[in-house]
Amino acid sequence: MTTMQETSTASGARMTLAHHILASQRQHPRARGELSVVLLQLAFAGKIFSHAIRRAAFTGQLGATGERNVQDEATKKLDVFGNQTIIEAFARNELVAAIVSEEMDEPRQIACGTRASYVLCVDPLDGSSNADVNGVVATIFGVYQPKREAGTAATVQRLQSGRDQVAAGYIMYGPSTVFVYTTGSGVHGFTLDHDIGEFLLTHPDIRCPPQGPYYSANLANVPEWNHQTQAYVGQLARGADRSYSLRYSGALVADLHRSLIEGGVYLYPADQRHPDGKLRLAYECAPLAFVVEHAGGAATTGTSTVLDVPFHSIHQRVPFAAGSRDDVAILERLSRDDH
Ligand code: FDP
């Protein structure tokens, strides 16, 4: 029998992502396999995008388009390519009813998805300031199954919170391309073997250590933070027992991935320029909170668990801190004590 912890098959070969997803699906005898195919399509889009990023310097895909997105941020050519890649992976099948993306003002309704159970929320290119300097970038995804009338399609309007997710994860394009996902039974990581074009299980059942030793935040913003957050980071940097080390890459996924594997906390709190925080709830914070929680970590806005924040608009922002359970709890305690 195949267990989810196995990394290799009887022949000694590593387990593929497809094998793992199907083994996971078998644990839910009434599953119809649609969520499995959604995840496989995301992995397919990830392979296309990984290939495009590696070749971007040769194909004219570096740099900005000259346009600005709905968040008034300069759009990169790779932002556009990543968004198109995701849409193409879902436009001609019945897997999702709609796609919400950082790169689109409004949700994209999928014509074939009139009976689909899922809404896909995606940030195609997280960490886009890294794109032109050969830094790590990523795609973040949350697959939502909002409540709906029998026989009708899922709708974006019915999304209530991150708790509507049935799967979430990210594809990180670094020295290697890594696909991390959860459907609620463990968090699992796969590395793309470019030679055979397969994601292979390399990080089964990722568990986030309960504490440190890293913290990640844009410290240029410290003067604009509230005093609880300033105190928190001061405490991490010069703790009584031990000091944490600072790591900040400018890409949320890259920094959070480090904390997920090695322990620590990523935070992007509210500041003067971003009074509600900078990061977007539906396609950045909630999917990553879903991953971190299922790895034994935690994610907070400071005053609320990220997964419980009610949705009121698709591009809504929240203050965000996520990673090791005990480190996140200290920030929550400091924020609560001040209220
Ligand atoms: P980016 O805008 O470059 O896509 O998603 C937002 C994000 O990057 C995070 O990945 C990253 O951690 C953060 O913003 C960086 O923001 P600052 O440049 O303000 O530090």
Side-chain angles (χ1 to χ4, degrees):
M1 198 179 93
T2 306
T3 69
M4 300 300 292
Q5 271 69 39
E6 269 181 300
T7 56
S8 56
T9 61
S11 65
R14 283 186 178 275
M15 183 182 280
T16 64
L17 177 63
H19 184 166
H20 195 274
I21 289 172
L22 291 175
S24 165
Q25 184 195 314
R26 263 187 245 120
Q27 294 174 350
H28 304 275
R30 295 175 62 189
R32 290 182 303 165
E34 287 169 359
L35 182 58
S36 299
V37 187
V38 170
L39 292 167
L40 290 171
Q41 282 300 95
L42 285 163
F44 173 65
K47 288 179 199 174
I48 307 258
F49 203 18
S50 172
H51 180 255
I53 290 167
R54 283 188 299 140
R55 296 199 47 78
F58 310 127
T59 57
Q61 289 276 42
L62 295 180
T65 60
E67 308 280 309
R68 300 191 81 77
N69 68 10
V70 62
Q71 341 274 346
D72 199 30
E73 295 158 346
T75 304
K76 298 273 169 90
K77 292 179 192 168
L78 283 173
D79 281 316
V80 175
F81 183 88
N83 197 53
Q84 276 168 355
T85 304
I86 295 282
I87 289 175
E88 279 166 22
F90 292 94
R92 281 181 286 281
N93 50 50
E94 301 166 359
L95 296 169
V96 303
I99 298 175
V100 170
S101 164
E102 181 182 9
E103 296 309 320
M104 301 187 296
D105 299 8
E106 298 295 333
R108 168 71 65 100
Q109 300 301 323
I110 302 298
C112 317
T114 47
R115 296 175 73 84
S117 321
Y118 305 116
V119 169
L120 176 64
C121 294
V122 64
D123 179 358
L125 187 72
D126 168 62
S128 48
S129 72
N130 282 359
D132 297 338
V133 295
N134 200 27
V136 177
V137 292
T139 300
I140 306 173
F141 59 87
V143 185
Y144 292 73
Q145 188 175 32
K147 292 197 175 50
R148 64 190 172 123
E149 312 284 328
T152 63
T155 61
V156 173
Q157 294 70 25
R158 290 270 183 132
L159 292 179
Q160 292 188 328
S161 72
R163 299 264 175 225
D164 288 340
Q165 289 173 108
V166 289
Y170 52 83
I171 310 160
M172 190 169 81
Y173 314 98
S176 55
T177 297
V178 173
F179 186 100
V180 172
Y181 89 104
T182 181
T183 53
S185 47
V187 175
H188 309 284
F190 300 77
T191 303
L192 182 58
D193 183 333
H194 291 283
D195 293 339
I196 58 170
E198 288 282 1
F199 281 106
L200 301 176
L201 182 60
T202 46
H203 297 75
D205 201 15
I206 295 169
R207 301 301 297 165
C208 182
Q211 218 189 0
Y214 296 111
Y215 71 107
S216 303
N218 185 340
L219 298 190
N221 297 333
V222 168
E224 297 182 18
W225 292 349
N226 65 28
H227 64 89
Q228 304 95 302
T229 314
Q230 290 173 341
Y232 176 62
V233 164
Q235 201 172 310
L236 291 177
R238 298 178 303 279
D241 308 332
R242 58 175 172 158
S243 297
Y244 284 45
S245 291
L246 172 67
R247 297 283 186 277
Y248 192 67
S249 71
L252 159 63
V253 167
D255 290 321
L256 194 57
H257 184 73
R258 179 196 304 279
S259 290
L260 195 64
I261 305 270
E262 298 189 337
V265 61
Y266 169 98
L267 63 154
Y268 209 113
D271 57 42
Q272 280 162 18
R273 277 169 306 150
H274 310 104
D276 298 321
K278 179 185 181 195
L279 304 178
R280 277 53 59 112
L281 178 59
Y283 44 80
E284 291 182 312
C285 302
L288 294 176
F290 194 76
V291 169
V292 169
E293 277 202 9
H294 283 289
T300 183
T301 64
T303 52
S304 165
T305 304
V306 169
L307 290 178
D308 290 323
V309 176
F311 284 10
H312 55 73
S313 69
I314 58 170
H315 296 295
Q316 119 191 34
R317 300 170 191 258
V318 283
F320 183 65
S324 292
R325 191 190 58 213
D326 296 353
D327 295 327
V328 171
I330 296 170
L331 177 63
E332 282 178 321
R333 207 159 41 242
L334 284 169
S335 306
R336 226 181 6 248
D337 289 349
D338 209 64
H339 275 72

